[in-house]
Amino acid sequence: VTAETSKQELPPVTEELLTALEFRYAVPRCCRVCGAPLSVADSRGMKMTCDSDAASPYTAVHEAAGATWKEALDHWAESTLYNPPDGDLHVLALVAEVRRLRELGSESIAEWRE
Ligand SMILES: [Zn+2]
């Protein structure tokens, strides 16, 4: 096996990849449904859930927030993180820098075309 063939192929840096990295390394971890910060739901920190009333399993609470039982269940299921990975501001800074450079790049291309 040569160095060339053993090298892992790097994925293209798409907007989807940047968004996925932002979610993966977010500080604080936020709910994917409503954006509220997640809180640790068990003593070992293995699970994080959304505190929003709309994600509450209690009928009185989610109905008061305008959600049906099914909506509350879906909200809870989609937002709960098991074994949540640590966030990392270094990765977020890198993603922001890539976005900034891309924006600068597309602006200068637009100027050059005018
Ligand atoms: Zn939520």
Side-chain angles (χ1 to χ4, degrees):
V1 183
T2 67
E4 207 52 47
T5 55
S6 67
K7 212 193 274 175
Q8 290 271 324
E9 203 163 313
L10 295 174
V13 181
T14 59
E15 188 54 35
E16 289 71 31
L17 176 67
L18 294 177
T19 303
L21 286 173
E22 266 177 336
F23 182 77
R24 163 66 181 77
Y25 291 98
V27 180
R29 308 316 310 269
C30 289
C31 173
R32 258 190 234 257
V33 181
C34 71
L38 297 179
S39 53
V40 175
D42 74 18
S43 56
R44 290 167 304 152
M46 304 297 273
K47 191 167 103 176
M48 292 182 91
T49 58
C50 178
D51 279 341
S52 161
D53 287 352
S56 168
Y58 303 107
T59 308
V61 180
H62 65 239
E63 277 183 355
T68 63
W69 184 81
K70 166 126 181 28
E71 284 166 349
L73 191 73
D74 288 347
H75 189 146
W76 185 88
E78 273 169 50
S79 62
T80 299
L81 283 183
Y82 296 94
N83 299 317
D86 285 336
D88 192 337
L89 288 173
H90 295 96
V91 176
L92 297 181
L94 211 57
V95 169
E97 183 69 5
V98 170
R99 287 218 164 104
R100 197 181 66 82
L101 290 173
R102 285 188 168 179
E103 204 146 295
L104 280 178
S106 58
E107 270 169 26
S108 52
I109 288 169
E111 270 170 35
W112 175 77
R113 279 189 180 142
E114 273 166 19

